[in-house]
Amino acid sequence: MMIDVLYFAWVRERIGLPRERVTTEAATVADLVAELIQREDRYAAAFAEVTALRVAVDQVLTGFDAPLSGAREVAFFPPMTGG
Amino acid sequence: MMIDVLYFAWVRERIGLPRERVTTEAATVADLVAELIQREDRYAAAFAEVTALRVAVDQVLTGFDAPLSGAREVAFFPPMTGG
Amino acid sequence: MKVIVQQAAFDAGALVNTFTAAQAGMGAIVTFQGVVRGDGGLARMEIEHYPGMTERALTAIATEAAQRWSLGNVLVIHRHGSLAPGEVIMMVATAAPHRADAFAAADFLMDYLKSRAPFWKKEYAADGAAENATWVAAKDADEAALARWQGAGNV
Amino acid sequence: MKVIVQQAAFDAGALVNTFTAAQAGMGAIVTFQGVVRGDGGLARMEIEHYPGMTERALTAIATEAAQRWSLGNVLVIHRHGSLAPGEVIMMVATAAPHRADAFAAADFLMDYLKSRAPFWKKEYAADGAAENATWVAAKDADEAALARWQGAGNV
C-alpha cells in the first residue's frame, strides 16, 4: 500500500523533508518505523528516541502499536508546544 | 460622638434614607444597632435579621462586635452581589 | 494595578488590547467579563455601590491577588447604575508569566469581588414597576467559593 | 463554536467584543491570550503546525469542552509562522451562563491545546541564525496538567 508520511519540527529537520510517499506492507506504525530506520542514517537519527515522539494516523493522535490498515497519512513529530 | 451611618440596598429602602449623622455613645456596632432599633419600627424592620446583614466600619468589612471608638463612618447592607 | 468604578459603558475589547500591549514579559493574559442575563423577562438591573469603599475593597482584593500569585498586572473595572440585558457589567484582567497564575488570579478576583466588594443588584421586570423590582440575593455558593482559596498561591 | 488557524495577526479585542455581543443569556465570558515572551534575548519564534490536523484537533478539544461544561459558545484562534515578542500567539474564549463553567472550560482548552494540538515552536535568538534556533521542549508539567481533568465537568 501507499502511505503519505509526514514529518514535523525537528523530525522534519533530521530527515530533511516534510513529507514523502512510502510503499509499505507494515501492519503497524511501529513496523513502519522499523522499515524507515533501515533506509538511511537520517531516519535512524530521527527515530532514535521513539518514546520522545508522537504519531498521528489520518490526523488523529494514536500509539505506535496502531494498525496501518486503510491508513492514508501517517505523521511523526515531537510533543506539541502550542498555546 | 458623631458617626455617619450609611445604608445600602434593601436596608436603605427599609429605613428610608441613604445616610444620617448619629450621636451615640455606643461602644460597638452591636450597641449602635440596639440603639437604632429602639428609635422607630423602620429600624427594627431593617435590623430584624441582623445575621443577614454585613457591616463596614470606616469602609472596611468587619463584625458586629467591632468597637466604634474613633470610627467616623458605619455602613449597613445585605451580602454583596457584584460581579 | 488599576481599579475603575464607573457608570458609563466601557469598550472591553479596547481595554483588553491596551492591557495586553502594556505588559512586558507576560506570556498569559486572562480576562473575565460579567454580562447581564435576560433570564425571566429581566428588563434591566440597577447596580448600587458604596462610593469610596468600593474602590478600597477592589484595590485590596487586587493587591491580595498580586501577593498570592506571580502577576505582571491586574485590571478591575465595574459599572454601577442601570444596565440592560447583554451589557457588560464588569471585567477583570490578569497578566502573568505563566497561564496557571493568570487563571487562578482571575478566578480568585471574581470570587472575592462577588462577596467582598460593595455592589448590590436590583432586578426590574419588563413592566419596570419599582414595586416589582427585587434585590438579587447572595448565593451560599458564592460565600462557600471563598474557602477554595485558603492557602492558595504564595501564602 | 469557531476554530481559526491563521498566519496573520488578529485583533484580540475586536474578536472578544464580537464574541461577547453574539451571546444570548450567557453571564460569563472568559478569555485567555498567549503572548510571545522576550525572555533570554528571544528575537522571534516560528510556529509550525500540521494543516488539516490542527483544525481537527482544535475542533475535537472545543467539542469536548462543550460536552463537559454548560457553554454557550467557544472560540479558538491560533497563529502560525513568525512571531515577535509581545505578539499574541493565540486566544481562547468561552461563554457560559455561570462563571465556574466559563473558567473551567477555558483552563481545560488551554491544557489540551498545549499538549494535543499539533503546533511546534522554534525560538530564534537576536542574531537570527538558523543554526542557533532551538525547538521549544514540551514540559512534563504540561502533560501532567491533563490529569487534572479526569472526570471534570459533566463526564
Side-chain angles (χ1 to χ4, degrees):
Chain A
M1 61 183 165
M2 305 267 278
I3 293 181
D4 285 320
V5 183
L6 283 68
Y7 310 109
F8 292 95
W10 58 255
V11 181
R12 172 179 54 72
E13 291 178 341
R14 286 195 197 172
I15 291 177
L17 76 176
R19 66 188 299 153
E20 60 186 318
R21 184 153 287 183
V22 171
T23 302
T24 179
E25 294 309 316
T28 67
V29 171
D31 292 344
L32 175 61
V33 169
E35 283 184 17
L36 292 170
I37 286 175
Q38 295 301 316
R39 284 184 164 191
E40 289 179 51
D41 284 352
R42 58 198 170 105
Y43 290 93
F47 290 109
E49 301 167 72
V50 79
T51 56
L53 295 185
R54 300 285 182 269
V55 61
V57 172
D58 290 335
Q59 305 189 348
V60 175
L61 278 176
T62 186
F64 281 78
D65 56 352
L68 287 183
S69 162
R72 289 178 301 179
E73 190 171 297
V74 176
F76 296 101
F77 40 79
M80 292 85 140
T81 55
Chain B
M1 62 184 166
M2 304 264 279
I3 294 181
D4 286 320
V5 183
L6 283 69
Y7 310 109
F8 292 97
W10 58 255
V11 180
R12 172 180 55 71
E13 290 177 341
R14 286 195 196 173
I15 292 177
L17 76 175
R19 65 187 302 152
E20 60 186 320
R21 183 154 288 181
V22 172
T23 302
T24 178
E25 296 307 319
T28 65
V29 172
D31 292 344
L32 175 62
V33 170
E35 282 184 17
L36 292 170
I37 286 174
Q38 296 300 316
R39 286 187 166 190
E40 288 179 51
D41 284 352
R42 56 198 172 105
Y43 290 93
F47 290 109
E49 301 167 72
V50 78
T51 55
L53 295 185
R54 300 284 182 270
V55 60
V57 172
D58 290 335
Q59 304 189 349
V60 174
L61 277 176
T62 186
F64 280 77
D65 56 352
L68 286 185
S69 161
R72 291 177 301 179
E73 188 172 299
V74 177
F76 297 100
F77 41 79
M80 294 86 138
T81 55
Chain C
M1 187 184 306
K2 197 174 203 175
V3 165
I4 304 167
V5 181
Q6 67 181 37
Q7 186 160 358
F10 58 87
D11 183 334
L15 279 176
V16 170
N17 280 350
T18 302
F19 183 81
T20 302
Q23 310 314 317
M26 297 296 116
I29 311 282
V30 169
T31 71
F32 176 90
Q33 289 178 68
V35 182
V36 181
R37 296 167 58 186
D39 301 7
L42 179 86
R44 65 182 180 91
M45 63 166 53
E46 289 276 350
I47 300 181
E48 184 170 332
H49 80 119
Y50 183 171
M53 177 171 168
T54 310
E55 292 79 358
R56 286 177 69 145
L58 293 177
T59 301
I61 295 165
T63 302
E64 174 77 17
Q67 282 166 351
R68 286 180 178 234
W69 291 280
S70 176
L71 300 181
N73 204 358
V74 177
L75 167 70
V76 180
I77 180 166
H78 202 301
R79 295 181 61 190
H80 59 88
S82 183
L83 287 95
E87 285 196 77
V88 176
I89 303 169
M90 51 75 60
M91 181 170 73
V92 301
T94 57
H98 301 289
R99 76 186 188 283
D101 288 336
F103 269 120
D107 202 355
F108 170 91
L109 285 166
M110 286 309 304
D111 277 357
Y112 273 77
L113 186 156
K114 262 204 137 35
S115 299
R116 294 289 182 264
F119 292 102
W120 302 273
K121 290 178 183 147
K122 192 171 193 177
E123 296 182 335
Y124 290 76
D127 63 10
E131 64 271 25
N132 294 331
T134 52
W135 290 100
V136 173
K139 296 190 191 76
D140 290 343
D142 286 333
E143 193 65 31
L146 301 187
R148 289 200 290 148
W149 303 106
Q150 294 270 357
N154 306 317
V155 290
Chain D
M1 185 185 304
K2 198 173 200 176
V3 165
I4 303 166
V5 181
Q6 66 181 35
Q7 186 159 358
F10 58 88
D11 182 334
L15 279 176
V16 170
N17 280 350
T18 302
F19 183 80
T20 302
Q23 309 315 316
M26 297 297 116
I29 311 282
V30 169
T31 70
F32 176 91
Q33 290 178 67
V35 181
V36 180
R37 295 168 58 186
D39 301 5
L42 178 86
R44 65 183 178 91
M45 63 167 52
E46 290 276 349
I47 300 181
E48 182 170 334
H49 79 119
Y50 182 172
M53 180 174 166
T54 309
E55 292 79 358
R56 287 177 68 145
L58 293 176
T59 300
I61 294 165
T63 302
E64 175 78 17
Q67 283 166 351
R68 285 180 178 234
W69 291 280
S70 177
L71 300 180
N73 205 358
V74 178
L75 167 70
V76 181
I77 181 166
H78 202 301
R79 294 180 62 190
H80 58 88
S82 184
L83 286 95
E87 285 196 78
V88 176
I89 303 169
M90 50 76 60
M91 180 170 72
V92 301
T94 56
H98 301 290
R99 75 184 188 284
D101 288 337
F103 269 120
D107 202 356
F108 170 92
L109 285 166
M110 285 310 304
D111 277 357
Y112 272 78
L113 186 156
K114 262 205 136 37
S115 299
R116 293 291 182 265
F119 292 101
W120 301 274
K121 290 178 183 147
K122 193 171 193 177
E123 296 182 336
Y124 291 76
D127 62 9
E131 64 270 25
N132 294 333
T134 51
W135 290 99
V136 173
K139 296 189 190 77
D140 289 342
D142 285 334
E143 193 66 29
L146 301 186
R148 290 200 291 147
W149 302 106
Q150 294 271 355
N154 305 316
V155 290

